[in-house]
């Protein structure tokens, strides 16, 4: 198995990307090979710094970089030899089983939709993120930014996608799905939320437990929390701030340490025909390493095949 990494993506690339790839390669020895994609003059010196530890890494040149501030669709179209575009071409060709990047989030989404494309039947792919649970492990929150406004049918599909990921990647046998709302009562919320509730309630592919409130995000009431990308992104950034504040005050506790974005490393794009993960722009080597491990776990689980089979039926 091969897992590709955009070596030019992130605020500290390519140094952090190479260091993170070395860490992941140690953990994946005998299981998978890490493939770095980027500008050779920028990446090679850091590979040389790591010496023998980087010997197992493969390298594929890409002459261009999509910067964080560029327009995603325009940049992806015009920079076909960028590290992101080359990564998606390799994914489409089956040369790698997963592609990870801490680069331009919009370009990663554009590349996913226009290169490997949506699973047939999926209206819009979504970005998933992970919710630490008080009694251990993680739940799934989606969408966290790909779709700021959603139709009820999209929210229903997010419930299905999140449930499949929780089952096949996180190992939760019967994931509980909840709809994030301003109250637990069925009649609460906007017309879109009302309609989504009715669809989720009768969906045979999921175990729907009804509406949940913000106070239920981190308890065991649900394993999958469904919301639009606008709401989900606010929740995600708020959760990240909890760790940042506690770290600033030198307060550390195992549960709250799980709010550190480095712990999981990235957010999978669910609903596309292959495995792609978006990392945090300020990813450290630890975050990069965990993102690559997540890519391996996704590919190893066969989650995309499970999604295809579900939406085909």
């Amino acid at each position: 198995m091969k897992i590709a990494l955009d070596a030019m993506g992130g605020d500290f690339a390519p140094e952090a990307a190479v260091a993170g790839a070395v860490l992941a390669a140690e953990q994946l020895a005998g299981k998978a090979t890490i493939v770095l994609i980027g500008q050779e003059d920028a990446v090679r010196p850091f590979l040389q710094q790591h010496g023998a530890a980087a010997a197992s890494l493969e390298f594929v040149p890409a002459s261009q970089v999509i910067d964080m501030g560029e327009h995603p669709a325009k940049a992806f179209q015009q920079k076909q030899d960028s590290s992101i575009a080359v990564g998606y071409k390799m994914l489409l060709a089956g040369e790698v089983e997963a592609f990870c990047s801490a680069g331009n989030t919009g370009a990663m989404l554009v590349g996913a939709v226009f290169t490997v494309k949506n699973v047939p039947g999926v209206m819009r792919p979504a970005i998933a993120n992970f919710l630490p649970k008080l009694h251990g492990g993680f739940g799934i929150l989606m969408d966290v930014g790909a779709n700021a406004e959603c139709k009820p049918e999209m929210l229903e599909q997010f419930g299905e996608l999140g449930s499949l990921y929780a089952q096949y990647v996180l190992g939760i046998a019967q994931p509980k799905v909840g709809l994030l709302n301003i109250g637990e009562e069925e009649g609460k919320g906007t017309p879109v939320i009302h309609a989504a509730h009715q669809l989720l309630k009768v969906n045979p592919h999921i175990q729907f437990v009804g509406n949940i409130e913000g106070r239920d995000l981190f308890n065991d009431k649900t394993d999958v929390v469904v919301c639009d990308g606008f709401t989900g992104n606010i929740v995600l950034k708020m959760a990240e701030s909890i760790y940042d504040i506690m770290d600033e005050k030198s307060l550390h506790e195992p549960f709250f340490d799980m709010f550190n974005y480095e712990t999981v490393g990235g957010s999978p794009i669910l609903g596309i025909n292959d495995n792609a993960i978006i990392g945090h722009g300020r990813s450290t080597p630890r975050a990069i390493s965990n993102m690559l491990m997540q890519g391996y776990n996704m590919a190893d689980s066969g989650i995309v095949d499970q999604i295809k089979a579900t939406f085909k039926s």
Side-chain angles (χ1 to χ4, degrees), residues 167-228:
Q167 182 178 355
Y168 290 100
V169 183
L170 299 185
I172 302 172
Q174 293 182 306
K176 295 170 291 187
V177 178
L179 180 63
L180 189 59
N181 203 344
I182 58 172
E184 295 180 350
E185 298 84 358
E186 189 170 330
K188 289 288 184 72
T190 65
V192 170
I193 295 296
H194 291 169
H197 185 107
Q198 297 307 312
L199 293 172
L200 288 162
K201 186 168 66 172
V202 298
N203 189 307
H205 299 295
I206 63 172
Q207 182 182 355
F208 184 55
V209 297
N211 293 334
I212 67 159
E213 298 180 90
R215 63 186 176 189
D216 297 314
L217 289 170
F218 310 113
N219 60 32
D220 293 332
K221 189 169 183 178
T222 63
D223 302 298
V224 179
V225 176
V226 175
C227 61
D228 61 69

Side-chain angles (χ1 to χ4, degrees), residues 72-244:
K74 185 177 180 180
F76 187 84
Q77 183 179 28
Q78 294 179 348
K79 294 185 173 182
Q80 282 296 294
D81 199 45
S82 65
S83 48
I84 290 179
V86 170
Y88 272 119
K89 289 174 186 175
M90 294 180 69
L91 194 61
L92 179 64
E95 297 171 6
V96 297
E97 281 68 46
F99 176 47
C100 305
S101 174
N104 187 305
T105 297
M108 281 293 289
L109 285 168
V110 169
V113 172
F114 288 100
T115 307
V116 298
K117 303 186 184 305
N118 295 4
V119 168
V122 173
M123 296 176 66
R124 292 288 297 272
I127 304 175
N129 208 272
F130 301 90
L131 294 170
K133 292 297 183 175
L134 281 165
H135 297 102
F138 289 92
I140 298 293
L141 172 69
M142 61 185 300
D143 182 25
V144 295
N147 308 281
E149 295 184 66
C150 295
K151 297 178 180 179
E153 294 82 3
M154 292 167 62
L155 294 173
E156 179 193 16
Q157 290 192 348
F158 296 168
E160 291 188 71
L161 292 169
S163 182
L164 288 166
Y165 190 96
Q167 182 178 355
Y168 290 100
V169 183
L170 299 185
I172 302 172
Q174 293 182 306
K176 295 170 291 187
V177 178
L179 180 63
L180 189 59
N181 203 344
I182 58 172
E184 295 180 350
E185 298 84 358
E186 189 170 330
K188 289 288 184 72
T190 65
V192 170
I193 295 296
H194 291 169
H197 185 107
Q198 297 307 312
L199 293 172
L200 288 162
K201 186 168 66 172
V202 298
N203 189 307
H205 299 295
I206 63 172
Q207 182 182 355
F208 184 55
V209 297
N211 293 334
I212 67 159
E213 298 180 90
R215 63 186 176 189
D216 297 314
L217 289 170
F218 310 113
N219 60 32
D220 293 332
K221 189 169 183 178
T222 63
D223 302 298
V224 179
V225 176
V226 175
C227 61
D228 61 69
F230 185 91
T231 303
N233 192 265
I234 291 173
V235 171
L236 169 63
K237 300 298 172 58
M238 180 278 296
E240 288 181 352
S241 76
I242 292 174
Y243 173 79
D244 292 338

